[in-house]
Amino acid sequence: MPETLPPDSVGLVKPQTVIFDAPLTLQSGRALPSFELVYETYGTLNSTRSNAILICHALSGHHHAAGYHSMDERKPGWWDSCIGPGKPIDTQRFFVVCLNNLGGCHGSTGPQSINPETDRRYGPDFPVITVKDWVQSQVRLADHLGISKWAAIVGGSLGGMQALQWAIDLPDRVHHAVIIASTPKLTAQNIAFNEVARKAITTDPDFHAGRYHEHNTIPKRGLMLARMVGHITYLSDLSMGEKFGREMREKAFKYGFEVEFEVERYLNYQGERFSENFDANTYLLMTRALDYFDPAKDYENSLVDAVSQAKCSFFVAAFTSDWRFSPERSEQLVNALVEAGKRVCYAEIDAPHGHDAFLIPSPRYMDVFSANMNRIADEVNA
Amino acid sequence: MRADLELIEQWIKPASRLLDLGCGDGTLLHHLSQTKQINGYGLEINPDHINACISKGVNVIEQDLDVKGLANFKTNGFDYVIMTQALQAVMHPDRMLDEMLRLGKECIITFPNFGHWKCRWYLMNKGEMPISRSLPYTWYNTPNIHLCTFKDFENLCRQRNLQIINRTVVDRSHQHRWFIHMWPNMLGEIAIYHLSR
């Protein structure tokens, strides 16, 4: 909780909600009759509407990317390190929009919402959403805000995938795509980890085939396990070693199976906290969206052909210690962009924090990110 | 505009695809994109140079040639592959040359001449590895691990059947001097070669 707001904070912010009444046909063939999106904005839209940036969130993210909801809030938005006055995404120059994606559990229409056709919660009946679907829903938001072309679409991890999909699907509406710690598709190992997470949730006796709310319970243990295994993939061996090593709560072994090592305590704590704040059905949806993401599939598995649709310029960044979406995954994308003759800059940032590095303001990362965003601001006259 | 870049510029056809290996702060690519509307990419590993490229709007890719090589680039993907003042610093200059001519139809290379009379004099007179303004390092900390003379380089080209389309020899400030051409391997300090397969 801040006593006073830091000068480089966007300050106190308030989420807004917009309702879209026209049905949204999804990639699966199903449709949502109507939907709501919750979003936040920071900075000011200029008179030519050229300075708007869309922030796309990752698996467990939401619309609250920067600033504080109240002076009592413990922590600022999830990407406060990069959004604010003088930060890489400088709110003195840009108008920043961040939404909670469709299927989410922080206010946008998702499995916890009431299905107008049945008057009960969607729960497991909520349609499977893809990255392409998210992009279509975000187009509605752009239209609502009167933004015909984003100065940039920026995202880390799953957020970067949305930026890439925008560039391919709506080439005239994106000036620049910023894709950080992401990948043009998941590997078998990535999908395997997602399956472990989903299995943990769906085999929890409290899951009740996704209708846990109707049984007044939540699959807490499953969600907790899912988060614990996910969390390990966000860190690196090095960062875990530095943070916890083999530290123990007490010096002597207890010769039992209770939590003894600090890393165990940490993972349990993270899992527990997450399981109280996140919806299990949303977790299933988000991991599936990750698995399905493969824009090359629409172009006979040619990533070069897929990115050839794009008209924007690209900034791609990866982190050396990220083994979830390693630099090789980003390089695959960069190679395709070069082959397609697209404008692209690529930075491989030496950082020890694993996949989570995209959230951590390390100096090299901030420098290169700022250089790129400043150039975009100049190009769009922000 | 640096004189060597001006010399390179005259060999570049408009709207061509170009790869600059070790592109520095992007000066060459930036200039060529304005004067020749090229579609250029630079490889670089120095973070400050990368930021400078990004600020100029030059396409820059962080890639260490000695670690990753150039295998990720498609055969014949470029019209020109350029390497200025870096061939002597790579691990395998001969393989690098082959790779450059796999990616590009033509390549342009500049490097310092170790056969320049000052180097020869330094070594003969002092019996030590030459140190000069263009080669300011001592033998143990120099990045220039594969220094050669113009003659050495041309021998390699001949051995690999590479065509020398153009060759220009200049002094340290990249100026032409009439006398250099009388005995380039003795009097030239920097060579600019334009090669093809």
Side-chain angles (χ1 to χ4, degrees), chain A residues 315 328 331 334-335 337-349 364 367-368 371-372 375 379, chain B residues 17 39 41 45-48 50-63 68 72-74 78:
Chain A
F315 173 77
E328 284 70 27
E331 284 157 23
V334 171
N335 292 339
L337 289 167
V338 171
E339 206 177 317
K342 301 298 164 189
R343 289 179 63 194
V344 56
C345 291
Y346 171 60
E348 185 181 341
I349 297 157
R364 164 92 210 276
D367 284 352
V368 69
N372 186 63
R375 196 230 325 169
E379 283 177 5
Chain B
R17 270 175 69 85
N39 176 16
Y41 299 87
I45 50 170
N46 177 310
D48 293 332
I50 290 170
N51 289 353
C53 287
I54 291 174
S55 301
K56 285 191 184 83
V58 165
N59 297 320
V60 63
I61 292 160
E62 184 161 349
Q63 182 165 331
K68 295 223 166 109
N72 54 320
F73 294 105
K74 207 179 98 177
F78 296 94

Side-chain angles (χ1 to χ4, degrees), chain A residues 160-382:
Chain A
M161 297 177 198
Q162 294 159 59
L164 177 57
Q165 193 75 58
W166 260 96
I168 295 167
D169 288 355
L170 296 132
D172 293 316
R173 300 194 66 168
V174 191
H175 179 77
H176 196 99
V178 178
I179 299 167
I180 303 169
S182 192
T183 174
K185 64 179 173 204
L186 263 61
T187 60
Q189 190 193 45
N190 294 142
I191 297 170
F193 275 113
N194 283 347
E195 175 56 11
V196 172
R198 282 189 295 265
K199 211 55 152 194
I201 291 169
T202 56
T203 56
D204 184 326
D206 287 332
F207 183 63
H208 297 290
R211 299 223 168 269
Y212 37 88
H213 285 297
E214 293 171 18
H215 293 79
N216 293 316
T217 183
I218 55 165
K220 193 167 180 312
R221 282 163 295 175
L223 202 50
M224 194 174 150
L225 272 178
R227 182 57 171 186
M228 284 167 80
V229 72
H231 204 96
I232 297 169
T233 70
Y234 305 149
L235 306 177
S236 68
D237 195 14
L238 189 74
S239 63
M240 278 181 120
E242 276 176 4
K243 209 165 172 180
F244 310 108
R246 292 180 52 83
E247 284 294 309
M248 298 184 73
R249 314 194 74 179
E250 286 161 43
K251 272 191 182 151
F253 292 156
K254 286 184 182 161
Y255 298 101
F257 303 106
E258 294 298 303
V259 168
E260 290 185 61
F261 291 91
E262 278 300 319
V263 66
E264 295 176 305
R265 190 195 54 75
Y266 172 80
L267 273 184
N268 277 286
Y269 170 76
Q270 289 293 333
E272 191 133 355
R273 230 187 40 179
F274 185 78
S275 68
E276 286 156 5
N277 296 310
F278 208 84
D279 179 58
N281 284 320
T282 289
Y283 202 87
L284 299 179
L285 284 175
M286 296 281 174
T287 56
R288 218 19 155 190
L290 277 164
D291 294 352
Y292 284 159
F293 179 70
D294 183 9
K297 200 164 179 282
D298 296 340
Y299 298 88
E300 289 168 352
N301 291 315
S302 164
L303 186 58
V304 177
D305 288 351
V307 300
S308 291
Q309 310 302 314
K311 291 181 184 168
C312 65
S313 51
F314 291 82
F315 173 77
V316 181
F319 300 93
T320 48
S321 58
D322 183 352
W323 59 280
R324 184 180 171 90
F325 300 146
S326 68
E328 284 70 27
R329 301 280 77 77
S330 288
E331 284 157 23
Q332 219 176 353
L333 173 61
V334 171
N335 292 339
L337 289 167
V338 171
E339 206 177 317
K342 301 298 164 189
R343 289 179 63 194
V344 56
C345 291
Y346 171 60
E348 185 181 341
I349 297 157
D350 195 6
H353 322 96
H355 187 57
D356 265 354
F358 86 89
L359 297 167
I360 296 164
S362 54
R364 164 92 210 276
Y365 176 33
M366 292 299 101
D367 284 352
V368 69
F369 196 0
S370 296
N372 186 63
M373 297 314 293
N374 286 335
R375 196 230 325 169
I376 297 170
D378 292 341
E379 283 177 5
V380 301
N381 295 316

